[in-house]
Amino acid sequence: MEFTVDKYENYSMAKINQEKVDSTVAPELKSEFMNLAQDGVKSLIVDMGAVKYVDSSGLSALLVGNRSFSEQGAFVLYNVTDHVMKLVSISQLDKVMTIVAGQEEAADVVLMTEIQKGQGAAE
């Protein structure tokens, strides 16, 4: 599976460079997400622009990512293609995961999440 990660101060950015996220690559994607979380990454922004197709195992991998980062920080998908978005909507995962249009908006979501979680810890 082709997957790149760039680390920044407040979050990491991942890019899935794969047209299909299906049962052949989903286990590796899940383990990438879990490894990043174990390495101390609190928030992950995922560029889905290259992904043209996702099956149920691919959606499951995205849910693992969501679960791995949402408690500590944020898990944000952006640049989701229309076809993939349709599958995400049909499965109602758009109600569970944070999906935005662009990278800047994704970074804003991470910042807002940090502020909200910081305030929650102080109360």
Side-chain angles (χ1 to χ4, degrees), residues 1-2 6 9 23 31 37 40 44 48-49 53 58-59 64 74 77 85-86 94 99 113:
M1 183 188 76
E2 294 184 40
D6 293 316
E9 187 177 337
S23 60
S31 83
L44 185 66
M48 299 281 292
Y53 172 79
L59 292 173
V64 166
L77 303 177
M85 192 62 209
K86 193 177 293 183
D94 56 332
I99 303 168
T113 301

Side-chain angles (χ1 to χ4, degrees), residues 116-123:
Q116 289 171 347
K117 291 188 189 261
Q119 286 176 343
E123 292 175 4

Side-chain angles (χ1 to χ4, degrees), residues 4-120:
T4 57
V5 178
D6 293 316
K7 295 187 178 187
Y8 298 94
E9 187 177 337
N10 297 331
Y11 57 86
S12 287
M13 290 201 59
K15 181 171 174 72
I16 301 172
N17 299 310
Q18 195 82 28
E19 279 197 19
K20 290 184 178 183
V21 178
D22 56 16
S23 60
T24 60
V25 297
E28 190 177 344
L29 184 59
K30 284 180 187 179
S31 83
E32 290 282 358
F33 288 150
M34 290 189 296
N35 288 338
L36 287 168
Q38 288 172 351
D39 288 345
V41 173
K42 287 189 175 15
S43 294
L44 185 66
I45 296 173
V46 182
D47 181 349
M48 299 281 292
V51 180
K52 308 284 185 242
Y53 172 79
V54 173
D55 71 0
S56 60
S57 58
L59 292 173
S60 173
L62 294 175
L63 275 173
V64 166
N66 191 56
R67 201 173 316 119
S68 298
F69 296 98
S70 292
E71 195 169 307
Q72 297 288 329
F75 181 76
V76 185
L77 303 177
Y78 81 97
N79 207 9
V80 178
T81 60
D82 289 342
H83 182 71
V84 171
M85 192 62 209
K86 193 177 293 183
L87 294 170
V88 168
S89 296
I90 288 169
S91 60
Q92 297 188 343
L93 294 179
D94 56 332
K95 295 176 180 21
V96 178
M97 294 190 287
T98 304
I99 303 168
V100 297
Q103 181 178 342
E104 194 171 303
E105 192 178 349
D108 288 345
V109 168
V110 169
L111 179 62
M112 291 306 297
T113 301
E114 282 183 354
I115 291 169
Q116 289 171 347
K117 291 188 189 261
Q119 286 176 343

